[in-house]
Amino acid sequence: MIVDCAHYKDGKRQHEGQLSLDQAAAFAGHGGDEFVWIGLHEPQPEVLGELQALFGLHELAVEDAGFAHQRPKIEDYDENYFIVLRTAHYHEQEETVHFGEIHVFIGTGYVISVRHGPGSELSSARSRLESRPDLLELGAASALWAILDKVVDDYLPVVAGIEDDIEEVEEDVFNDDRPAPTQRIYHLKREVVEFHRAAWPLLSPLEALEAGAYAQVPEELRRYFRDVHDHARRVDEQVNSQRELLTSVLEANLALVSVKQNEVVKKISAWAAVIAVPTFIASVYGMNFEHMPELDGRWGYPMVLGVMTICVAGLVTFFRRVRWL
Amino acid sequence: MIVDCAHYKDGKRQHEGQLSLDQAAAFAGHGGDEFVWIGLHEPQPEVLGELQALFGLHELAVEDAGFAHQRPKIEDYDENYFIVLRTAHYHEQEETVHFGEIHVFIGTGYVISVRHGPGSELSSARSRLESRPDLLELGAASALWAILDKVVDDYLPVVAGIEDDIEEVEEDVFNDDRPAPTQRIYHLKREVVEFHRAAWPLLSPLEALEAGAYAQVPEELRRYFRDVHDHARRVDEQVNSQRELLTSVLEANLALVSVKQNEVVKKISAWAAVIAVPTFIASVYGMNFEHMPELDGRWGYPMVLGVMTICVAGLVTFFRRVRWL
Amino acid sequence: MIVDCAHYKDGKRQHEGQLSLDQAAAFAGHGGDEFVWIGLHEPQPEVLGELQALFGLHELAVEDAGFAHQRPKIEDYDENYFIVLRTAHYHEQEETVHFGEIHVFIGTGYVISVRHGPGSELSSARSRLESRPDLLELGAASALWAILDKVVDDYLPVVAGIEDDIEEVEEDVFNDDRPAPTQRIYHLKREVVEFHRAAWPLLSPLEALEAGAYAQVPEELRRYFRDVHDHARRVDEQVNSQRELLTSVLEANLALVSVKQNEVVKKISAWAAVIAVPTFIASVYGMNFEHMPELDGRWGYPMVLGVMTICVAGLVTFFRRVRWL
Amino acid sequence: MIVDCAHYKDGKRQHEGQLSLDQAAAFAGHGGDEFVWIGLHEPQPEVLGELQALFGLHELAVEDAGFAHQRPKIEDYDENYFIVLRTAHYHEQEETVHFGEIHVFIGTGYVISVRHGPGSELSSARSRLESRPDLLELGAASALWAILDKVVDDYLPVVAGIEDDIEEVEEDVFNDDRPAPTQRIYHLKREVVEFHRAAWPLLSPLEALEAGAYAQVPEELRRYFRDVHDHARRVDEQVNSQRELLTSVLEANLALVSVKQNEVVKKISAWAAVIAVPTFIASVYGMNFEHMPELDGRWGYPMVLGVMTICVAGLVTFFRRVRWL
Amino acid sequence: MIVDCAHYKDGKRQHEGQLSLDQAAAFAGHGGDEFVWIGLHEPQPEVLGELQALFGLHELAVEDAGFAHQRPKIEDYDENYFIVLRTAHYHEQEETVHFGEIHVFIGTGYVISVRHGPGSELSSARSRLESRPDLLELGAASALWAILDKVVDDYLPVVAGIEDDIEEVEEDVFNDDRPAPTQRIYHLKREVVEFHRAAWPLLSPLEALEAGAYAQVPEELRRYFRDVHDHARRVDEQVNSQRELLTSVLEANLALVSVKQNEVVKKISAWAAVIAVPTFIASVYGMNFEHMPELDGRWGYPMVLGVMTICVAGLVTFFRRVRWL
């Protein structure tokens, strides 16, 4: 699906509606800092084929763009670049990170963005860029910046959401009355590992962009790429901390499961002792000796009952004091 | 065994059947972008000896090619290169990765591929290459690409198969009714570690190929090697995530074994308490006191039975409520 | 809030009170080694806007300076630098590290420091610098040194505080009478991980400062930056040791929880045995055989009681000796 | 002890018996590609002193060569090199790696090998080299290759032996009827760590040899050193996998110890229940009530015995079904 | 305290007693390869101040030298270098590593060593150097070598002492009769981590010394620094192995604690079963049925006692055979 297709020149969008792909290709050939930005969402193979013909895209890049599950990267094809980004969205209820992908072709005079899955919508990135004529004037690379900035900014709520869940999990772990959240900890660990795999490979291409490895990126824009890089590194550092914390919380959880088990064993044993003592006393007076003076007296029975009660009370008090009950 | 032996020129296979090795060597000497591709499967030492003589292969490389269990590598012998690849195939039922090996000699005008074990068959790689005259024209390096691409693409189902098994294992771990899958987790960990050892050493030679470290690889082909490199890195990153996840799942499993043990201890203790109380009551009325008023009455026995039943019912209800039963 | 705003020249503060921002900007334009140092604390956006206009600060840097939660970094904007530092303060009672931030703009003739949160106050850094005319003479970079030195020196008590708590935790872990401090260990681990994330990213910009990557830093000052770098590395190495130790202490804690549990099980079982033996004896003499010689004798009952006592005493002694009681 | 001392020239050993050290030194001075190879085994200090004088060896190298426990390294002393290698031999029965050391001095015209401990004997390396005139012709460096090749090839059975033991240990761990092999796992871990420390430091000097860092190594030989390097890397990668696997197997072992404990607890509790129920029934009929109708009947006793048997059979069947017995 | 102060020239100490600081400073100015070596032990600030004035030491270095707790480093101050070393001494009884520090100022013509804490005494280093005129002739750097060599050589007994303790700990862990040495393992881990922090930062400055990064070090001495570097690396590699082993031993310890607990549970349960069976039998014959044929016979009681004994013997035998007792 073609989401939008616009021609930018002198820092301004040149028209309201969408251009056709042919028109776009014509404008792209003008050279200079004007460019077209074609936004696609899960395009049919034919559309990609048409674009390949119109813009001279490389077969391998088009093949990659055709379906998702690429790793984040920037590939240099002399006349243009092919960029793969993974978008992330945190589903609070499921505690799951949903991943999408954005593929970008960028060459002199054109930017083609291909969105897969439910990831970051780029319309906000586009409108933000349109409100910045100073950046728009710098050409196609500014659109790449707008997309990168959007994708990386969308990582922040993911990290924050995971952070919140880790805090909830910590409360569960250290609260005696709640069951051990082992499964939830593991699930979070899985999400964090997965998210790391989406965000981490982006760092080194972003560093290359910042360092000016790509000649087509004007110097004024590099600082903006550096800003994106900085955000991505912040995300990565926090994700690494979260991985380490989740490992620790899993171990702490294990220790506490053992402690809780110990509590249970203590409680059980205390009650066993409490009942074993009067049972023993009863068994003594169940013996059939001829001469057991206590048996004959009128008060023998109530006294033994009393002794039993006192034993039970004493034991309960004792175990309460040593915190076994 | 010689699987196939063909002469390629101007992007086309020059004949239908197999050439003899002597014919192949003669064609290999023509120079330019024409080349022969000799495909072997676990060849006799004599065949390797003959090839060594015909193509001037280095003694060390031929020695390596004679039997499997090499590590993945690219070795530069001035006049030619010797490449070792490890192929992987996932046996779903056994949850085991089967490894094979492919050794490749590549020089001006010839490619010799030697397959060991049950790995990736190369006939599909050959026919794929034959359908791409544009790449065939680029000479012998295109055959290397076809082989590498096949080998690395065959890694993907391995990773996917392991991923599926990890998900099954997770279900087992977090399902109370299934036994702890400790052995299966460990077995998967072993496979992942083994697979990592097969795939990981390939990364740096692939990077060298992509970066143009080998002069014989035409520039047009480098992008294709970059594509392979990219796939290999994706595999490697996923394998690393799997290693980390399997470590975590092993720990989560341990915590849950402890939790389950706790459940057992609770259940047992509850039943012990349930039976200890009426036993105690019975022992009381087994005492031989002269004066125990309850003993004489007609309703004593049924009443005590009733009290026992009430105690048991009360305890069972209580333990049900605190979730020990 | 503008905390202070002063003009330094020839190694001396030029006046007592605060300058206005306009005056400061005027002095900043003089060139040479004189400079103004404007100190802000959580400034209103308007103040930042005014400074942006007066000193030609870059939009991205001003945006960052507007609110906290940046990662430590040094960013080069040709005409000036933007530096982010994270301050740390250890709250002994809560065993929590409180983080603040200091952002610094430094250009020819001016230093603007922006403090966020309850971090290190910079007045002591300023007065320390004012007492060193030899450094003040070197220009604006000396103020950066004063700030960095203050921030990194304030890390030392944090590390020391955590070290103390680790030692307390160790005592708790290895003292049989105290409950396992699992939660506290985890909490300390969390603080250490967090603190690492604040201090570690500072190392590589400090190394760049020391190595002379920034032309505006006079050579005489580099040794002072090296000194700061050295302190930061010391902090980082100690923090890494603490992370490793806390991981180990968590594991040792787990082993000791198991050992303690074992103690409990032994103690319980010993008492169970102690009471089971006389109960068994009593049950023997509760049997209703016609011919049980012991039952008839006058001394049967006291003798059995004696035997029971002896058994109990023997068992208690035995279990004491094998350290089960 | 001087094991052998021979003069090599034009790819051939020049004589049958051993040369004296003086003769050797004289031949060493001839220059060109002829050289002497002196093989020592735990030499007296005087012998080393004599060699130092004859060949101008450096004091520090001679000091090192005097006794074992050096780390693997290649040291460049302008006129010659000093190489330390650690040999390894796997003692299958003890499951222990025995380490020895080989020190090599190599200069123009001479190679002196000093063997310590029960390591690889070099006579096979020497005879292998003597059967390769093409390599012998290349001078003293060929002897270094022969030694390195022997040492590294001797690592392979060590790795294979450890691999076998790991597989045995895995069987023990996952076999319910065998005791947990904790000590054996740990012991293997120790051996692997130790072996890693012997083999790993060799990698970077071997890489330097391969890359041609040492001018005295003729280019034709570099491929042979690359071959050795490749084998050493294979060993190192496998050792790393083994370290990781042994860590995992230790954790799996821990989980299984817990599972087995759980089995024990279940079995015990089941039997406790099985015996508690008839005991309870007996205690009921041990009560002394006047009016207990069952007591009077002639069939009361056999019926109760029957009920007890049925209860026991029912409980055993039940516990068998839930797999507690 | 000034420990010694001597003037060295032409490879010889020029006098017997101590020079005054002023004399030393005068000799230091002579240039060439003669130098003075001033040895201090926890000097008063005034002494340091005097030295600063006499030798033109840098304020930051003098500040550092004033008190301990620096990290190991080599700092280049153009006219001289400031070196910090951490000395280590293993207290066998306490199983504790005691750390000291040695700070060294080295410039043309002088070496000033400042010792803090109970570390390595340098008199032996000094006398060793004095016995080597060939090195003494090379100037002040030879004294630095003597100090470094002494400090690093003193690490070896520390590593060996820890190694011994690890072996003792292993014996304790795998010996069933000894209590689990959890605390000792942790304590050793702590010492190893601490020691690593003292020795590891030394490696990269030593590498710089070996590589000739400091022009003042004559080439002849570099080999001697390489020797020290080599020893330091050996120490570091062994320390790393020890860290890994201690982690593993802690885990093995945990598994064995669980195994031991299992043993206890088995033993307890076996005894419980042994006593439960005769108790049950007794309870049967305690039932009050009218018609229990066994009760009337003269041999009933002894027979039941016999049956009980047989049951107990049988159970004990059985549990012995399955190794629960």
Side-chain angles (χ1 to χ4, degrees), chain C residues 6 19 64 86 120 132 168 188 206 325:
Chain C
L19 299 179
D64 278 0
R86 294 188 70 185
S120 323
R132 293 288 303 262
E168 281 175 44
L188 279 170
L206 278 173
L325 276 183

Side-chain angles (χ1 to χ4, degrees), chain A residues 59 69 71 73 76-78 183 186 189-190 197 243 268 278 282 285-288 295 301 304, chain B residues 132 170 174 223-224 226 230 233-234 237 241 244 248 255 269 280 283 287-290 292 294:
Chain A
E59 160 203 27
H69 298 301
R71 61 186 292 278
K73 61 182 172 185
D76 181 348
Y77 289 96
D78 290 358
Q183 183 164 10
Y186 176 77
K189 181 78 182 275
R190 200 185 217 299
R197 195 146 60 84
R243 276 161 84 188
I268 288 162
Y285 293 104
M287 293 195 293
N288 297 319
L295 293 182
Y301 179 52
V304 162
Chain B
R132 293 288 306 261
E170 284 170 0
F174 296 116
R223 286 168 187 173
Y224 289 85
R226 178 172 67 189
D230 188 54
R233 280 207 285 182
R234 184 146 50 105
E237 284 168 10
S241 296
E244 187 171 351
S248 290
S269 319
F280 163 65
S283 74
M287 293 194 293
N288 297 320
F289 286 100
E290 289 286 301
M292 291 176 70
E294 299 96 325

